Amino acid sequence: MAKVPVFNVDGSKVDDIEISDAIFGIEPNKDVVHMAVVQYLANKRQGTQSAKTRAEVRGGGRKPWRQKGTGRARQGSIRSPQWTGGGVVFAPKPRDYSFKLNKKVKRLALKSVLSQKVLEEKLIVLDELSFSEIKTKQMVNVVNNLKLEKALVVTEGDSKNVVLSAKNMPNVKTAGVGTINVYDILKFDNFVVTKEAVEKMQEVYA
């Protein structure tokens, strides 16, 4: 089992913690990670885009001019796709873009990105993270002390004050152990997690 340092909110190292190789030490699988990201983005799509085909556009029932003898190209409707105001050839219609991935595949993708963070030394473990009140300045101080730019902060247990304190920070996102996903871990440079949350993750994803 690998060891990573544990920091306090002041940015000082206070301890070391052993992390499971089965979760934080596997060989990252890029193909599976890509599938997980594509699925996450596809599942977020509303699928409400819609346009009208030539059959649905109002008007155009009469042939604009006779078939032959005018010198112009033959036309059957002023609502054909080549006309201004005409229908769309392959008009998009509301649809469901979501698809499913096997649980084992999703778990492998999650373990892959977590292992990658360890390899890049972007995994930061905190001994604890809790605020007595909702104050953005407290979270700003933690981020500055740890010298972070973009960070995903993962906590375990009651962390309402932490979540609300980070809400107005554009480069910080908070999540619980059960709500982390591959896309967010990749999107944010640093993966900040409390010691308690690491232990919970090793129980859940083992």
Short mmCIF file of all heavy atoms in Angstrom, two decimals, residues 88-150:
data_model
loop_
_atom_site.label_atom_id
_atom_site.label_comp_id
_atom_site.label_asym_id
_atom_site.label_seq_id
_atom_site.Cartn_x
_atom_site.Cartn_y
_atom_site.Cartn_z
N VAL A 88 -36.21 21.77 -42.88
CA VAL A 88 -34.85 21.28 -42.71
C VAL A 88 -34.81 19.85 -43.22
O VAL A 88 -35.72 19.06 -42.98
CB VAL A 88 -34.42 21.33 -41.22
CG1 VAL A 88 -33.02 20.78 -41.03
CG2 VAL A 88 -34.51 22.77 -40.73
N VAL A 89 -33.73 19.50 -43.94
CA VAL A 89 -33.65 18.17 -44.58
C VAL A 89 -33.74 17.04 -43.57
O VAL A 89 -34.65 16.22 -43.62
CB VAL A 89 -32.35 18.04 -45.40
CG1 VAL A 89 -32.30 16.66 -46.06
CG2 VAL A 89 -32.29 19.11 -46.48
N PHE A 90 -32.79 16.97 -42.66
CA PHE A 90 -32.83 15.95 -41.62
C PHE A 90 -33.00 16.67 -40.28
O PHE A 90 -32.06 16.78 -39.49
CB PHE A 90 -31.58 15.08 -41.63
CG PHE A 90 -31.38 14.31 -42.89
CD1 PHE A 90 -30.37 14.62 -43.78
CD2 PHE A 90 -32.24 13.27 -43.22
CE1 PHE A 90 -30.19 13.92 -44.95
CE2 PHE A 90 -32.08 12.56 -44.40
CZ PHE A 90 -31.06 12.88 -45.28
N ALA A 91 -34.19 17.15 -40.05
CA ALA A 91 -34.46 18.00 -38.88
C ALA A 91 -34.26 17.23 -37.58
O ALA A 91 -34.75 16.11 -37.43
CB ALA A 91 -35.87 18.54 -38.95
N PRO A 92 -33.52 17.83 -36.61
CA PRO A 92 -33.37 17.19 -35.31
C PRO A 92 -34.71 17.17 -34.57
O PRO A 92 -35.48 18.12 -34.65
CB PRO A 92 -32.34 18.07 -34.60
CG PRO A 92 -32.48 19.40 -35.25
CD PRO A 92 -32.82 19.13 -36.68
N LYS A 93 -34.93 16.10 -33.86
CA LYS A 93 -36.16 15.94 -33.08
C LYS A 93 -35.82 15.58 -31.64
O LYS A 93 -34.74 15.02 -31.38
CB LYS A 93 -37.05 14.84 -33.70
CG LYS A 93 -37.58 15.19 -35.09
CD LYS A 93 -38.49 16.39 -35.03
CE LYS A 93 -38.98 16.79 -36.42
NZ LYS A 93 -39.78 18.02 -36.37
N PRO A 94 -36.68 15.88 -30.69
CA PRO A 94 -36.40 15.52 -29.29
C PRO A 94 -36.09 14.03 -29.16
O PRO A 94 -36.78 13.19 -29.73
CB PRO A 94 -37.72 15.88 -28.57
CG PRO A 94 -38.29 16.98 -29.39
CD PRO A 94 -37.94 16.64 -30.81
N ARG A 95 -35.01 13.75 -28.44
CA ARG A 95 -34.61 12.35 -28.25
C ARG A 95 -33.83 12.21 -26.96
O ARG A 95 -33.36 13.20 -26.37
CB ARG A 95 -33.74 11.88 -29.41
CG ARG A 95 -32.54 12.76 -29.70
CD ARG A 95 -31.53 12.12 -30.61
NE ARG A 95 -30.80 11.06 -29.94
CZ ARG A 95 -29.66 10.56 -30.38
NH1 ARG A 95 -29.12 11.00 -31.51
NH2 ARG A 95 -29.03 9.59 -29.73
N ASP A 96 -33.68 10.99 -26.51
CA ASP A 96 -32.94 10.70 -25.29
C ASP A 96 -31.54 10.24 -25.67
O ASP A 96 -31.37 9.22 -26.34
CB ASP A 96 -33.67 9.60 -24.51
CG ASP A 96 -32.96 9.26 -23.20
OD1 ASP A 96 -32.05 10.01 -22.81
OD2 ASP A 96 -33.32 8.24 -22.57
N TYR A 97 -30.52 10.99 -25.27
CA TYR A 97 -29.14 10.67 -25.62
C TYR A 97 -28.47 9.76 -24.60
O TYR A 97 -27.36 9.30 -24.83
CB TYR A 97 -28.31 11.96 -25.72
CG TYR A 97 -28.63 12.81 -26.93
CD1 TYR A 97 -29.59 13.82 -26.88
CD2 TYR A 97 -27.97 12.61 -28.13
CE1 TYR A 97 -29.88 14.60 -27.98
CE2 TYR A 97 -28.24 13.38 -29.24
CZ TYR A 97 -29.20 14.38 -29.16
OH TYR A 97 -29.47 15.14 -30.27
N SER A 98 -29.10 9.53 -23.47
CA SER A 98 -28.46 8.78 -22.39
C SER A 98 -28.26 7.31 -22.74
O SER A 98 -29.00 6.74 -23.54
CB SER A 98 -29.29 8.90 -21.11
OG SER A 98 -30.54 8.25 -21.27
N PHE A 99 -27.23 6.74 -22.13
CA PHE A 99 -26.99 5.30 -22.27
C PHE A 99 -26.35 4.80 -20.98
O PHE A 99 -25.88 5.60 -20.16
CB PHE A 99 -26.12 4.99 -23.49
CG PHE A 99 -24.72 5.53 -23.44
CD1 PHE A 99 -23.67 4.77 -22.97
CD2 PHE A 99 -24.45 6.83 -23.87
CE1 PHE A 99 -22.37 5.27 -22.93
CE2 PHE A 99 -23.17 7.35 -23.84
CZ PHE A 99 -22.12 6.56 -23.37
N LYS A 100 -26.33 3.52 -20.81
CA LYS A 100 -25.84 2.94 -19.56
C LYS A 100 -24.47 2.29 -19.74
O LYS A 100 -24.12 1.83 -20.82
CB LYS A 100 -26.83 1.88 -19.04
CG LYS A 100 -28.14 2.46 -18.55
CD LYS A 100 -29.03 1.38 -17.95
CE LYS A 100 -30.33 1.98 -17.41
NZ LYS A 100 -31.20 0.94 -16.81
N LEU A 101 -23.73 2.28 -18.64
CA LEU A 101 -22.47 1.55 -18.58
C LEU A 101 -22.58 0.53 -17.46
O LEU A 101 -23.26 0.77 -16.46
CB LEU A 101 -21.30 2.49 -18.29
CG LEU A 101 -20.76 3.36 -19.42
CD1 LEU A 101 -19.59 4.19 -18.90
CD2 LEU A 101 -20.31 2.53 -20.60
N ASN A 102 -21.91 -0.58 -17.61
CA ASN A 102 -21.90 -1.58 -16.54
C ASN A 102 -21.26 -1.01 -15.28
O ASN A 102 -20.35 -0.17 -15.36
CB ASN A 102 -21.12 -2.82 -16.98
CG ASN A 102 -21.82 -3.59 -18.08
OD1 ASN A 102 -23.03 -3.51 -18.21
ND2 ASN A 102 -21.06 -4.30 -18.88
N LYS A 103 -21.72 -1.45 -14.13
CA LYS A 103 -21.18 -0.96 -12.87
C LYS A 103 -19.67 -1.19 -12.76
O LYS A 103 -18.93 -0.35 -12.27
CB LYS A 103 -21.89 -1.64 -11.69
CG LYS A 103 -23.31 -1.15 -11.46
CD LYS A 103 -23.92 -1.80 -10.23
CE LYS A 103 -25.34 -1.29 -9.99
NZ LYS A 103 -25.95 -1.97 -8.80
N LYS A 104 -19.22 -2.35 -13.24
CA LYS A 104 -17.79 -2.67 -13.16
C LYS A 104 -16.98 -1.72 -14.03
O LYS A 104 -15.86 -1.33 -13.67
CB LYS A 104 -17.56 -4.11 -13.58
CG LYS A 104 -18.04 -5.14 -12.56
CD LYS A 104 -17.69 -6.56 -12.99
CE LYS A 104 -18.14 -7.58 -11.95
NZ LYS A 104 -17.82 -8.98 -12.37
N VAL A 105 -17.53 -1.34 -15.17
CA VAL A 105 -16.84 -0.42 -16.08
C VAL A 105 -16.74 0.96 -15.43
O VAL A 105 -15.69 1.61 -15.46
CB VAL A 105 -17.57 -0.33 -17.44
CG1 VAL A 105 -16.95 0.74 -18.32
CG2 VAL A 105 -17.54 -1.68 -18.15
N LYS A 106 -17.84 1.44 -14.85
CA LYS A 106 -17.85 2.74 -14.20
C LYS A 106 -16.89 2.78 -13.01
O LYS A 106 -16.18 3.77 -12.79
CB LYS A 106 -19.28 3.08 -13.73
CG LYS A 106 -20.26 3.30 -14.87
CD LYS A 106 -21.68 3.50 -14.40
CE LYS A 106 -21.87 4.85 -13.78
NZ LYS A 106 -23.30 5.10 -13.46
N ARG A 107 -16.86 1.68 -12.27
CA ARG A 107 -15.96 1.62 -11.11
C ARG A 107 -14.50 1.59 -11.54
O ARG A 107 -13.64 2.23 -10.94
CB ARG A 107 -16.30 0.39 -10.27
CG ARG A 107 -15.54 0.31 -8.97
CD ARG A 107 -16.23 -0.58 -7.96
NE ARG A 107 -17.49 -0.01 -7.51
CZ ARG A 107 -18.23 -0.54 -6.53
NH1 ARG A 107 -17.83 -1.64 -5.92
NH2 ARG A 107 -19.37 0.03 -6.18
N LEU A 108 -14.22 0.87 -12.63
CA LEU A 108 -12.85 0.83 -13.17
C LEU A 108 -12.41 2.21 -13.64
O LEU A 108 -11.26 2.61 -13.43
CB LEU A 108 -12.77 -0.18 -14.32
CG LEU A 108 -11.41 -0.29 -15.03
CD1 LEU A 108 -10.32 -0.69 -14.04
CD2 LEU A 108 -11.49 -1.30 -16.17
N ALA A 109 -13.33 2.94 -14.27
CA ALA A 109 -13.01 4.30 -14.73
C ALA A 109 -12.70 5.21 -13.55
O ALA A 109 -11.76 6.02 -13.60
CB ALA A 109 -14.18 4.85 -15.54
N LEU A 110 -13.49 5.08 -12.48
CA LEU A 110 -13.28 5.91 -11.29
C LEU A 110 -11.93 5.59 -10.64
O LEU A 110 -11.17 6.50 -10.28
CB LEU A 110 -14.42 5.68 -10.30
CG LEU A 110 -14.47 6.60 -9.08
CD1 LEU A 110 -14.68 8.05 -9.52
CD2 LEU A 110 -15.57 6.18 -8.13
N LYS A 111 -11.63 4.31 -10.53
CA LYS A 111 -10.34 3.91 -9.95
C LYS A 111 -9.18 4.38 -10.83
O LYS A 111 -8.11 4.74 -10.32
CB LYS A 111 -10.29 2.38 -9.80
CG LYS A 111 -11.23 1.83 -8.73
CD LYS A 111 -11.14 0.31 -8.67
CE LYS A 111 -12.08 -0.26 -7.61
NZ LYS A 111 -12.03 -1.74 -7.58
N SER A 112 -9.39 4.39 -12.14
CA SER A 112 -8.34 4.81 -13.06
C SER A 112 -7.98 6.28 -12.87
O SER A 112 -6.80 6.64 -12.82
CB SER A 112 -8.78 4.57 -14.51
OG SER A 112 -8.89 3.19 -14.80
N VAL A 113 -9.01 7.14 -12.76
CA VAL A 113 -8.72 8.57 -12.60
C VAL A 113 -8.17 8.88 -11.20
O VAL A 113 -7.33 9.78 -11.05
CB VAL A 113 -9.97 9.44 -12.90
CG1 VAL A 113 -10.31 9.40 -14.37
CG2 VAL A 113 -11.16 9.03 -12.05
N LEU A 114 -8.60 8.14 -10.20
CA LEU A 114 -8.06 8.32 -8.85
C LEU A 114 -6.59 7.91 -8.82
O LEU A 114 -5.74 8.59 -8.22
CB LEU A 114 -8.86 7.51 -7.83
CG LEU A 114 -10.29 7.99 -7.54
CD1 LEU A 114 -11.01 7.01 -6.63
CD2 LEU A 114 -10.28 9.39 -6.93
N SER A 115 -6.27 6.82 -9.48
CA SER A 115 -4.88 6.35 -9.55
C SER A 115 -4.01 7.35 -10.31
O SER A 115 -2.84 7.57 -9.97
CB SER A 115 -4.81 4.97 -10.22
OG SER A 115 -5.52 4.01 -9.47
N GLN A 116 -4.60 7.95 -11.36
CA GLN A 116 -3.87 8.94 -12.14
C GLN A 116 -3.54 10.16 -11.30
O GLN A 116 -2.45 10.74 -11.42
CB GLN A 116 -4.68 9.33 -13.37
CG GLN A 116 -3.95 10.23 -14.36
CD GLN A 116 -2.75 9.55 -14.99
OE1 GLN A 116 -2.80 8.36 -15.31
NE2 GLN A 116 -1.68 10.29 -15.16
N LYS A 117 -4.47 10.56 -10.44
CA LYS A 117 -4.23 11.71 -9.55
C LYS A 117 -3.07 11.42 -8.59
O LYS A 117 -2.26 12.30 -8.28
CB LYS A 117 -5.49 12.05 -8.75
CG LYS A 117 -6.61 12.67 -9.58
CD LYS A 117 -6.20 14.00 -10.18
CE LYS A 117 -7.33 14.61 -10.99
NZ LYS A 117 -6.90 15.84 -11.69
N VAL A 118 -2.99 10.18 -8.12
CA VAL A 118 -1.89 9.79 -7.23
C VAL A 118 -0.56 9.84 -7.98
O VAL A 118 0.44 10.36 -7.48
CB VAL A 118 -2.13 8.39 -6.64
CG1 VAL A 118 -0.92 7.94 -5.82
CG2 VAL A 118 -3.38 8.37 -5.77
N LEU A 119 -0.56 9.32 -9.22
CA LEU A 119 0.65 9.34 -10.04
C LEU A 119 1.13 10.76 -10.32
O LEU A 119 2.33 11.04 -10.35
CB LEU A 119 0.40 8.61 -11.36
CG LEU A 119 0.22 7.09 -11.30
CD1 LEU A 119 -0.19 6.55 -12.66
CD2 LEU A 119 1.50 6.42 -10.84
N GLU A 120 0.18 11.67 -10.52
CA GLU A 120 0.52 13.06 -10.81
C GLU A 120 0.74 13.89 -9.54
O GLU A 120 1.01 15.09 -9.62
CB GLU A 120 -0.61 13.71 -11.62
CG GLU A 120 -0.81 13.09 -13.00
CD GLU A 120 -2.05 13.63 -13.71
OE1 GLU A 120 -2.80 14.39 -13.07
OE2 GLU A 120 -2.24 13.29 -14.89
N GLU A 121 0.60 13.24 -8.38
CA GLU A 121 0.74 13.90 -7.07
C GLU A 121 -0.26 15.04 -6.92
O GLU A 121 0.04 16.12 -6.40
CB GLU A 121 2.17 14.42 -6.87
CG GLU A 121 3.20 13.30 -6.85
CD GLU A 121 4.61 13.80 -6.58
OE1 GLU A 121 4.80 15.03 -6.56
OE2 GLU A 121 5.50 12.96 -6.40
N LYS A 122 -1.46 14.80 -7.42
CA LYS A 122 -2.55 15.77 -7.34
C LYS A 122 -3.59 15.37 -6.31
O LYS A 122 -4.63 16.03 -6.18
CB LYS A 122 -3.22 15.92 -8.71
CG LYS A 122 -2.32 16.45 -9.82
CD LYS A 122 -1.95 17.91 -9.61
CE LYS A 122 -1.20 18.47 -10.79
NZ LYS A 122 -0.85 19.90 -10.62
N LEU A 123 -3.34 14.28 -5.58
CA LEU A 123 -4.24 13.84 -4.52
C LEU A 123 -3.77 14.47 -3.21
O LEU A 123 -2.63 14.25 -2.79
CB LEU A 123 -4.25 12.32 -4.41
CG LEU A 123 -5.08 11.74 -3.26
CD1 LEU A 123 -6.56 11.90 -3.54
CD2 LEU A 123 -4.74 10.27 -3.02
N ILE A 124 -4.64 15.25 -2.59
CA ILE A 124 -4.30 15.93 -1.34
C ILE A 124 -5.26 15.48 -0.25
O ILE A 124 -6.48 15.64 -0.39
CB ILE A 124 -4.36 17.46 -1.51
CG1 ILE A 124 -3.32 17.90 -2.55
CG2 ILE A 124 -4.11 18.16 -0.18
CD1 ILE A 124 -3.42 19.35 -2.94
N VAL A 125 -4.70 14.90 0.81
CA VAL A 125 -5.51 14.40 1.92
C VAL A 125 -5.45 15.38 3.08
O VAL A 125 -4.36 15.81 3.49
CB VAL A 125 -5.04 13.01 2.36
CG1 VAL A 125 -5.92 12.49 3.50
CG2 VAL A 125 -5.05 12.03 1.20
N LEU A 126 -6.61 15.75 3.60
CA LEU A 126 -6.71 16.64 4.76
C LEU A 126 -7.08 15.84 6.00
O LEU A 126 -7.86 14.88 5.91
CB LEU A 126 -7.76 17.73 4.53
CG LEU A 126 -7.49 18.75 3.42
CD1 LEU A 126 -8.69 19.68 3.28
CD2 LEU A 126 -6.23 19.55 3.71
N ASP A 127 -6.51 16.22 7.14
CA ASP A 127 -6.86 15.50 8.37
C ASP A 127 -8.33 15.72 8.72
O ASP A 127 -9.02 14.80 9.16
CB ASP A 127 -5.96 15.90 9.53
CG ASP A 127 -5.99 17.40 9.81
OD1 ASP A 127 -6.50 18.16 8.96
OD2 ASP A 127 -5.49 17.81 10.87
N GLU A 128 -8.83 16.93 8.48
CA GLU A 128 -10.25 17.23 8.65
C GLU A 128 -10.58 18.55 7.98
O GLU A 128 -9.71 19.39 7.76
CB GLU A 128 -10.64 17.27 10.14
CG GLU A 128 -9.95 18.37 10.92
CD GLU A 128 -10.46 18.46 12.35
OE1 GLU A 128 -11.50 17.84 12.65
OE2 GLU A 128 -9.81 19.14 13.16
N LEU A 129 -11.85 18.71 7.66
CA LEU A 129 -12.31 19.95 7.03
C LEU A 129 -13.73 20.22 7.51
O LEU A 129 -14.69 19.60 7.06
CB LEU A 129 -12.27 19.82 5.50
CG LEU A 129 -12.68 21.09 4.72
CD1 LEU A 129 -11.71 22.23 5.01
CD2 LEU A 129 -12.73 20.80 3.24
N SER A 130 -13.83 21.15 8.43
CA SER A 130 -15.15 21.52 8.96
C SER A 130 -15.12 22.97 9.41
O SER A 130 -14.11 23.43 9.95
CB SER A 130 -15.54 20.60 10.13
OG SER A 130 -14.59 20.72 11.17
N PHE A 131 -16.21 23.67 9.15
CA PHE A 131 -16.32 25.07 9.54
C PHE A 131 -17.47 25.23 10.52
O PHE A 131 -18.52 24.59 10.40
CB PHE A 131 -16.59 25.95 8.31
CG PHE A 131 -15.51 25.89 7.26
CD1 PHE A 131 -15.82 25.99 5.91
CD2 PHE A 131 -14.18 25.69 7.61
CE1 PHE A 131 -14.84 25.93 4.94
CE2 PHE A 131 -13.18 25.63 6.65
CZ PHE A 131 -13.51 25.75 5.31
N SER A 132 -17.26 26.13 11.48
CA SER A 132 -18.31 26.38 12.48
C SER A 132 -19.41 27.28 11.92
O SER A 132 -20.51 27.34 12.46
CB SER A 132 -17.70 27.02 13.73
OG SER A 132 -17.04 28.23 13.39
N GLU A 133 -19.08 28.01 10.84
CA GLU A 133 -20.05 28.90 10.22
C GLU A 133 -19.83 28.93 8.71
O GLU A 133 -18.80 28.48 8.21
CB GLU A 133 -19.93 30.32 10.79
CG GLU A 133 -18.55 30.94 10.61
CD GLU A 133 -18.46 32.32 11.18
OE1 GLU A 133 -19.52 32.95 11.36
OE2 GLU A 133 -17.33 32.79 11.45
N ILE A 134 -20.82 29.44 7.99
CA ILE A 134 -20.71 29.55 6.53
C ILE A 134 -19.95 30.82 6.20
O ILE A 134 -20.44 31.92 6.42
CB ILE A 134 -22.12 29.57 5.89
CG1 ILE A 134 -22.88 28.31 6.23
CG2 ILE A 134 -22.01 29.73 4.38
CD1 ILE A 134 -24.36 28.37 5.90
N LYS A 135 -18.74 30.65 5.69
CA LYS A 135 -17.90 31.81 5.39
C LYS A 135 -16.96 31.46 4.23
O LYS A 135 -16.09 30.59 4.38
CB LYS A 135 -17.11 32.24 6.62
CG LYS A 135 -16.81 33.73 6.66
CD LYS A 135 -16.28 34.12 8.03
CE LYS A 135 -16.11 35.62 8.15
NZ LYS A 135 -17.38 36.35 8.10
N THR A 136 -17.16 32.13 3.11
CA THR A 136 -16.35 31.86 1.93
C THR A 136 -14.87 32.11 2.19
O THR A 136 -14.00 31.40 1.68
CB THR A 136 -16.82 32.73 0.75
OG1 THR A 136 -18.20 32.46 0.49
CG2 THR A 136 -16.02 32.42 -0.51
N LYS A 137 -14.57 33.10 3.01
CA LYS A 137 -13.18 33.46 3.30
C LYS A 137 -12.42 32.28 3.91
O LYS A 137 -11.21 32.11 3.67
CB LYS A 137 -13.14 34.67 4.23
CG LYS A 137 -11.74 35.25 4.42
CD LYS A 137 -11.80 36.53 5.24
CE LYS A 137 -10.39 37.13 5.39
NZ LYS A 137 -10.40 38.38 6.18
N GLN A 138 -13.09 31.48 4.71
CA GLN A 138 -12.44 30.32 5.33
C GLN A 138 -11.99 29.33 4.26
O GLN A 138 -10.87 28.81 4.32
CB GLN A 138 -13.40 29.64 6.31
CG GLN A 138 -13.65 30.44 7.58
CD GLN A 138 -14.57 29.70 8.53
OE1 GLN A 138 -15.65 29.26 8.15
NE2 GLN A 138 -14.16 29.56 9.77
N MET A 139 -12.87 29.07 3.28
CA MET A 139 -12.51 28.15 2.21
C MET A 139 -11.40 28.74 1.33
O MET A 139 -10.51 28.03 0.88
CB MET A 139 -13.75 27.81 1.37
CG MET A 139 -13.48 26.84 0.23
SD MET A 139 -12.80 25.24 0.76
CE MET A 139 -14.30 24.41 1.28
N VAL A 140 -11.46 30.05 1.10
CA VAL A 140 -10.41 30.72 0.32
C VAL A 140 -9.05 30.55 1.00
O VAL A 140 -8.04 30.28 0.34
CB VAL A 140 -10.74 32.23 0.14
CG1 VAL A 140 -9.55 32.96 -0.48
CG2 VAL A 140 -11.97 32.40 -0.73
N ASN A 141 -9.03 30.67 2.32
CA ASN A 141 -7.79 30.50 3.07
C ASN A 141 -7.25 29.08 2.96
O ASN A 141 -6.03 28.88 2.82
CB ASN A 141 -8.00 30.86 4.55
CG ASN A 141 -8.21 32.34 4.76
OD1 ASN A 141 -7.78 33.16 3.95
ND2 ASN A 141 -8.90 32.71 5.84
N VAL A 142 -8.14 28.10 3.01
CA VAL A 142 -7.72 26.70 2.88
C VAL A 142 -7.09 26.47 1.50
O VAL A 142 -6.02 25.86 1.38
CB VAL A 142 -8.91 25.75 3.09
CG1 VAL A 142 -8.51 24.31 2.77
CG2 VAL A 142 -9.42 25.83 4.52
N VAL A 143 -7.77 26.97 0.46
CA VAL A 143 -7.28 26.81 -0.91
C VAL A 143 -5.92 27.50 -1.09
O VAL A 143 -5.00 26.95 -1.70
CB VAL A 143 -8.31 27.38 -1.92
CG1 VAL A 143 -7.71 27.45 -3.31
CG2 VAL A 143 -9.56 26.52 -1.92
N ASN A 144 -5.78 28.68 -0.52
CA ASN A 144 -4.51 29.41 -0.63
C ASN A 144 -3.39 28.72 0.15
O ASN A 144 -2.24 28.65 -0.31
CB ASN A 144 -4.69 30.85 -0.14
CG ASN A 144 -5.54 31.68 -1.07
OD1 ASN A 144 -5.68 31.36 -2.25
ND2 ASN A 144 -6.12 32.76 -0.56
N ASN A 145 -3.72 28.21 1.33
CA ASN A 145 -2.71 27.52 2.15
C ASN A 145 -2.18 26.27 1.47
O ASN A 145 -1.00 25.92 1.61
CB ASN A 145 -3.29 27.17 3.52
CG ASN A 145 -3.55 28.39 4.37
OD1 ASN A 145 -2.97 29.44 4.15
ND2 ASN A 145 -4.45 28.27 5.34
N LEU A 146 -3.06 25.59 0.74
CA LEU A 146 -2.67 24.35 0.04
C LEU A 146 -2.14 24.64 -1.36
O LEU A 146 -1.73 23.72 -2.07
CB LEU A 146 -3.88 23.41 -0.05
CG LEU A 146 -4.40 22.86 1.29
CD1 LEU A 146 -5.72 22.13 1.08
CD2 LEU A 146 -3.38 21.94 1.93
N LYS A 147 -2.15 25.94 -1.75
CA LYS A 147 -1.65 26.38 -3.05
C LYS A 147 -2.37 25.66 -4.21
O LYS A 147 -1.76 25.06 -5.09
CB LYS A 147 -0.14 26.15 -3.15
CG LYS A 147 0.64 26.95 -2.12
CD LYS A 147 2.12 26.67 -2.18
CE LYS A 147 2.87 27.47 -1.11
NZ LYS A 147 4.33 27.18 -1.11
N LEU A 148 -3.69 25.75 -4.17
CA LEU A 148 -4.52 25.10 -5.18
C LEU A 148 -5.05 26.13 -6.17
O LEU A 148 -5.24 27.29 -5.82
CB LEU A 148 -5.70 24.38 -4.52
CG LEU A 148 -5.35 23.39 -3.41
CD1 LEU A 148 -6.64 22.85 -2.80
CD2 LEU A 148 -4.50 22.25 -3.94
N GLU A 149 -5.31 25.70 -7.39
CA GLU A 149 -5.93 26.56 -8.40
C GLU A 149 -7.37 26.10 -8.67
O GLU A 149 -8.31 26.81 -8.43
CB GLU A 149 -5.11 26.56 -9.68
CG GLU A 149 -3.75 27.26 -9.52
CD GLU A 149 -2.99 27.35 -10.81
OE1 GLU A 149 -3.55 26.97 -11.86
OE2 GLU A 149 -1.83 27.79 -10.78
N LYS A 150 -7.49 24.88 -9.19
CA LYS A 150 -8.81 24.28 -9.39
C LYS A 150 -8.88 23.00 -8.59
O LYS A 150 -8.02 22.13 -8.74
CB LYS A 150 -9.05 23.99 -10.88
CG LYS A 150 -9.17 25.22 -11.75
CD LYS A 150 -9.41 24.84 -13.20
CE LYS A 150 -10.76 24.19 -13.40
NZ LYS A 150 -11.03 23.87 -14.82
#
